[in-house]
Amino acid sequence: MALMMSGESALSAFPDGDNIFQWTGTITGGDGTVYEGLTFKLCLKFPTSYPYEAPQVTFVTPCFHPNVDQHGNICLDILKEKWSAVYNVRTILLSIQSLLGDPNLDSPLNGHAASIWHNVSEYKKALNKHKSTHATDRRPS
């Protein structure tokens, strides 16, 4: 609830209608990153065992990134083996926002994005091409 009322423009999350187990989140790319100014929609699906089990979080907005696959799945340790019940929606969204600018190149889901990450001009070109090719959001499954 605090996140919904915080007025923080770079992050937001709200339940989808009456379903408290599925939320829509948004993050904005961090300043000084190749994602600066871009906004991404995410789907957060909470298990009934939350907060003792991590939610499933996927990008709805297509995202060209070393740790995001073509289906929007995210490779982030706090959503898997490093999950802790102390994490909340804000923590998750901040971690994903941070991952955008600081990927884990040792565990890529998108090998092409990982291979060109350090070549900023080539990466930006690929990011812009990906954005224009995949301009519409995918439906959460």
Coordinates of all heavy atoms in Angstrom, one line a residue, residues 59-103:
F59 N 8.3 -9.2 -17.5 CA 8.1 -7.9 -18.3 C 6.9 -8.1 -19.2 O 6.8 -9.1 -20.0 CB 9.3 -7.6 -19.1 CG 10.4 -6.8 -18.3 CD1 11.4 -7.5 -17.7 CD2 10.4 -5.4 -18.3 CE1 12.3 -6.8 -17.0 CE2 11.3 -4.7 -17.6 CZ 12.3 -5.4 -16.9
V60 N 5.9 -7.2 -19.2 CA 4.8 -7.2 -20.2 C 5.3 -6.4 -21.4 O 5.1 -6.8 -22.5 CB 3.6 -6.6 -19.5 CG1 2.5 -6.5 -20.6 CG2 3.1 -7.4 -18.3
T61 N 6.0 -5.3 -21.1 CA 6.6 -4.5 -22.2 C 7.8 -5.2 -22.6 O 8.7 -5.6 -21.8 CB 7.0 -3.1 -21.6 OG1 5.9 -2.4 -21.1 CG2 7.6 -2.2 -22.8
P62 N 8.0 -5.5 -23.9 CA 9.2 -6.2 -24.4 C 10.4 -5.4 -23.9 O 10.5 -4.2 -24.0 CB 9.0 -6.2 -25.9 CG 7.5 -6.2 -26.1 CD 7.0 -5.3 -25.0
C63 N 11.4 -6.2 -23.4 CA 12.6 -5.6 -22.9 C 13.9 -6.3 -23.4 O 14.1 -7.5 -23.2 CB 12.6 -5.6 -21.4 SG 14.0 -4.9 -20.6
F64 N 14.7 -5.5 -24.1 CA 16.0 -6.0 -24.6 C 17.0 -5.8 -23.5 O 17.4 -4.7 -23.2 CB 16.4 -5.2 -25.9 CG 17.7 -5.7 -26.5 CD1 17.7 -6.9 -27.2 CD2 18.8 -5.0 -26.3 CE1 18.9 -7.3 -27.8 CE2 20.0 -5.4 -26.9 CZ 20.1 -6.6 -27.6
H65 N 17.4 -6.9 -22.9 CA 18.3 -6.9 -21.8 C 19.0 -8.2 -21.6 O 18.4 -9.3 -21.8 CB 17.5 -6.5 -20.5 CG 18.4 -6.2 -19.3 ND1 18.8 -7.3 -18.5 CD2 18.9 -5.1 -18.8 CE1 19.6 -6.7 -17.5 NE2 19.6 -5.4 -17.7
P66 N 20.2 -8.2 -21.1 CA 20.9 -9.5 -20.9 C 20.2 -10.5 -20.0 O 20.3 -11.7 -20.2 CB 22.3 -9.1 -20.3 CG 22.5 -7.7 -20.9 CD 21.1 -7.1 -20.9
N67 N 19.5 -10.0 -19.0 CA 18.9 -10.9 -18.0 C 17.4 -11.0 -18.2 O 16.6 -11.4 -17.3 CB 19.2 -10.4 -16.6 CG 20.7 -10.3 -16.4 OD1 21.2 -9.3 -16.1 ND2 21.4 -11.5 -16.5
V68 N 16.9 -10.7 -19.4 CA 15.4 -10.9 -19.7 C 15.3 -11.6 -21.1 O 16.0 -11.3 -22.0 CB 14.8 -9.5 -19.9 CG1 13.3 -9.6 -20.2 CG2 14.9 -8.7 -18.6
D69 N 14.5 -12.7 -21.1 CA 14.3 -13.4 -22.3 C 13.2 -12.9 -23.2 O 12.5 -11.9 -22.8 CB 14.2 -14.9 -22.0 CG 12.8 -15.3 -21.4 OD1 11.9 -14.5 -21.4 OD2 12.7 -16.5 -20.9
Q70 N 13.0 -13.5 -24.3 CA 12.0 -13.0 -25.3 C 10.5 -13.1 -24.7 O 9.7 -12.5 -25.3 CB 12.1 -13.7 -26.6 CG 11.7 -15.2 -26.6 CD 12.8 -16.1 -26.2 OE1 13.8 -15.8 -25.6 NE2 12.7 -17.4 -26.6
H71 N 10.3 -13.9 -23.7 CA 9.0 -14.0 -23.1 C 8.8 -13.1 -21.9 O 7.7 -13.1 -21.3 CB 8.7 -15.4 -22.6 CG 8.9 -16.4 -23.8 ND1 8.1 -16.5 -24.8 CD2 9.9 -17.3 -24.0 CE1 8.5 -17.4 -25.7 NE2 9.6 -18.0 -25.2
G72 N 9.8 -12.3 -21.5 CA 9.7 -11.4 -20.4 C 10.2 -11.9 -19.1 O 10.1 -11.3 -18.1
N73 N 10.7 -13.2 -19.1 CA 11.2 -13.8 -17.9 C 12.4 -13.1 -17.4 O 13.2 -12.7 -18.3 CB 11.4 -15.3 -18.1 CG 10.1 -16.0 -18.4 OD1 9.1 -15.9 -17.7 ND2 10.2 -16.8 -19.5
I74 N 12.6 -13.0 -16.1 CA 13.8 -12.2 -15.6 C 14.6 -13.1 -14.8 O 14.2 -13.9 -13.9 CB 13.2 -11.1 -14.6 CG1 12.2 -10.2 -15.4 CG2 14.4 -10.3 -14.1 CD1 11.4 -9.3 -14.5
C75 N 15.9 -13.0 -15.0 CA 16.9 -13.8 -14.2 C 17.5 -12.8 -13.2 O 18.3 -11.9 -13.4 CB 18.1 -14.3 -15.1 SG 19.3 -15.3 -14.2
L76 N 16.9 -13.0 -12.0 CA 17.3 -12.1 -10.8 C 17.3 -13.0 -9.6 O 16.2 -13.5 -9.2 CB 16.4 -10.9 -10.7 CG 16.6 -9.9 -9.6 CD1 18.0 -9.3 -9.8 CD2 15.5 -8.9 -9.6
D77 N 18.4 -13.0 -8.9 CA 18.5 -14.0 -7.8 C 17.5 -13.8 -6.7 O 17.0 -14.7 -6.1 CB 20.0 -13.9 -7.2 CG 20.4 -12.6 -6.7 OD1 19.6 -11.6 -6.8 OD2 21.5 -12.5 -6.2
I78 N 17.1 -12.5 -6.4 CA 16.1 -12.3 -5.3 C 14.7 -12.8 -5.7 O 13.9 -13.0 -4.8 CB 16.0 -10.9 -4.8 CG1 15.3 -10.0 -5.9 CG2 17.4 -10.3 -4.4 CD1 14.7 -8.7 -5.2
L79 N 14.5 -13.1 -7.0 CA 13.2 -13.7 -7.4 C 13.3 -15.3 -7.4 O 12.4 -15.9 -7.7 CB 12.8 -13.2 -8.8 CG 12.5 -11.8 -8.8 CD1 12.2 -11.3 -10.3 CD2 11.3 -11.4 -7.9
K80 N 14.5 -15.8 -7.1 CA 14.7 -17.2 -7.1 C 15.3 -17.7 -5.8 O 14.7 -17.5 -4.7 CB 15.7 -17.6 -8.3 CG 15.3 -17.1 -9.6 CD 14.2 -17.9 -10.3 CE 14.0 -17.5 -11.7 NZ 12.8 -16.8 -12.0
E81 N 16.6 -18.1 -5.8 CA 17.2 -18.7 -4.6 C 17.5 -17.7 -3.5 O 17.7 -18.1 -2.4 CB 18.5 -19.5 -5.0 CG 19.7 -18.6 -5.4 CD 19.6 -18.1 -6.9 OE1 18.7 -18.5 -7.6 OE2 20.6 -17.3 -7.2
K82 N 17.6 -16.4 -3.8 CA 17.9 -15.5 -2.7 C 16.7 -14.7 -2.2 O 16.8 -13.7 -1.5 CB 18.9 -14.4 -3.3 CG 20.2 -15.0 -3.7 CD 21.3 -14.9 -2.7 CE 22.5 -15.6 -3.3 NZ 23.7 -15.3 -2.8
W83 N 15.5 -15.3 -2.5 CA 14.3 -14.7 -2.0 C 14.2 -14.7 -0.5 O 14.7 -15.6 0.2 CB 13.0 -15.4 -2.5 CG 11.8 -14.9 -1.9 CD1 11.0 -15.4 -1.0 CD2 11.2 -13.6 -2.2 NE1 10.0 -14.6 -0.7 CE2 10.0 -13.5 -1.4 CE3 11.5 -12.6 -3.1 CZ2 9.2 -12.4 -1.5 CZ3 10.6 -11.5 -3.1 CH2 9.5 -11.4 -2.3
S84 N 13.7 -13.6 0.1 CA 13.5 -13.5 1.5 C 12.1 -12.9 1.8 O 11.7 -12.0 1.0 CB 14.6 -12.6 2.2 OG 14.3 -12.3 3.5
A85 N 11.5 -13.3 2.8 CA 10.2 -12.8 3.2 C 10.2 -11.3 3.5 O 9.1 -10.7 3.6 CB 9.6 -13.6 4.3
V86 N 11.3 -10.8 3.8 CA 11.4 -9.3 4.1 C 11.3 -8.5 2.8 O 11.0 -7.3 2.9 CB 12.7 -8.9 4.8 CG1 12.8 -9.7 6.1 CG2 13.9 -9.1 4.0
Y87 N 11.4 -9.1 1.6 CA 11.3 -8.3 0.4 C 9.8 -8.0 0.1 O 8.9 -8.8 0.4 CB 11.8 -9.0 -0.8 CG 13.3 -9.3 -0.7 CD1 13.9 -10.5 -1.2 CD2 14.2 -8.3 -0.2 CE1 15.2 -10.7 -1.2 CE2 15.5 -8.6 -0.2 CZ 16.1 -9.7 -0.6 OH 17.4 -10.0 -0.6
N88 N 9.6 -6.8 -0.4 CA 8.2 -6.4 -0.8 C 8.2 -5.9 -2.2 O 9.2 -6.0 -2.9 CB 7.7 -5.3 0.2 CG 8.6 -4.1 0.2 OD1 9.2 -3.7 -0.8 ND2 8.7 -3.5 1.4
V89 N 7.0 -5.5 -2.7 CA 6.9 -5.0 -4.0 C 7.9 -3.9 -4.4 O 8.5 -3.9 -5.5 CB 5.4 -4.6 -4.3 CG1 5.3 -4.0 -5.7 CG2 4.5 -5.8 -4.2
R90 N 8.0 -3.0 -3.5 CA 9.0 -1.9 -3.8 C 10.4 -2.4 -3.9 O 11.1 -2.0 -4.8 CB 8.9 -0.8 -2.6 CG 9.8 0.4 -2.9 CD 9.6 1.4 -1.8 NE 10.3 2.6 -2.1 CZ 11.6 2.8 -1.8 NH1 12.3 1.9 -1.3 NH2 12.1 4.0 -2.2
T91 N 10.8 -3.3 -3.0 CA 12.1 -3.9 -3.1 C 12.3 -4.6 -4.5 O 13.4 -4.5 -5.1 CB 12.3 -4.9 -2.0 OG1 12.0 -4.3 -0.7 CG2 13.7 -5.4 -1.9
I92 N 11.3 -5.4 -4.9 CA 11.4 -6.1 -6.1 C 11.5 -5.1 -7.3 O 12.4 -5.3 -8.1 CB 10.1 -7.0 -6.3 CG1 10.1 -8.1 -5.3 CG2 10.1 -7.6 -7.7 CD1 8.7 -8.8 -5.1
L93 N 10.7 -4.1 -7.4 CA 10.8 -3.2 -8.5 C 12.1 -2.4 -8.5 O 12.6 -2.2 -9.5 CB 9.6 -2.2 -8.4 CG 8.2 -2.9 -8.7 CD1 7.1 -1.8 -8.6 CD2 8.1 -3.7 -10.0
L94 N 12.6 -2.0 -7.3 CA 13.8 -1.3 -7.3 C 15.0 -2.2 -7.7 O 15.9 -1.8 -8.4 CB 14.1 -0.8 -5.8 CG 13.4 0.4 -5.4 CD1 13.6 0.7 -3.9 CD2 13.9 1.7 -6.2
S95 N 14.9 -3.5 -7.4 CA 15.9 -4.4 -7.8 C 15.9 -4.6 -9.3 O 17.0 -4.7 -9.9 CB 15.8 -5.8 -7.1 OG 16.0 -5.6 -5.7
I96 N 14.8 -4.7 -9.9 CA 14.6 -4.8 -11.3 C 15.1 -3.6 -12.0 O 15.8 -3.6 -13.0 CB 13.2 -5.2 -11.8 CG1 12.9 -6.6 -11.2 CG2 13.0 -5.2 -13.3 CD1 11.4 -7.0 -11.3
Q97 N 14.7 -2.4 -11.5 CA 15.2 -1.2 -12.0 C 16.7 -1.1 -12.0 O 17.4 -0.6 -12.9 CB 14.6 0.0 -11.3 CG 14.9 1.4 -11.8 CD 14.3 2.5 -11.0 OE1 14.4 2.5 -9.8 NE2 13.7 3.4 -11.6
S98 N 17.3 -1.5 -10.9 CA 18.8 -1.5 -10.8 C 19.4 -2.5 -11.7 O 20.5 -2.2 -12.3 CB 19.1 -1.9 -9.3 OG 20.5 -2.0 -9.2
L99 N 18.8 -3.6 -11.9 CA 19.3 -4.6 -12.9 C 19.3 -4.1 -14.3 O 20.2 -4.5 -15.1 CB 18.4 -5.9 -12.8 CG 18.8 -7.1 -13.7 CD1 20.0 -7.7 -13.2 CD2 17.7 -8.1 -13.8
L100 N 18.4 -3.2 -14.7 CA 18.4 -2.6 -16.0 C 19.8 -2.0 -16.3 O 20.3 -2.1 -17.4 CB 17.3 -1.6 -16.2 CG 15.9 -2.1 -16.3 CD1 14.9 -1.0 -16.5 CD2 15.8 -3.1 -17.5
G101 N 20.3 -1.2 -15.4 CA 21.6 -0.5 -15.6 C 22.8 -1.3 -15.2 O 23.9 -0.9 -15.5
D102 N 22.6 -2.4 -14.5 CA 23.7 -3.2 -14.0 C 23.4 -4.7 -14.1 O 23.2 -5.4 -13.1 CB 24.0 -2.8 -12.5 CG 25.3 -3.5 -12.0 OD1 26.2 -3.9 -12.8 OD2 25.4 -3.5 -10.8
P103 N 23.4 -5.2 -15.4 CA 23.1 -6.6 -15.5 C 24.1 -7.6 -15.0 O 25.3 -7.2 -14.8 CB 23.0 -6.7 -17.1 CG 23.9 -5.7 -17.6 CD 23.8 -4.6 -16.6

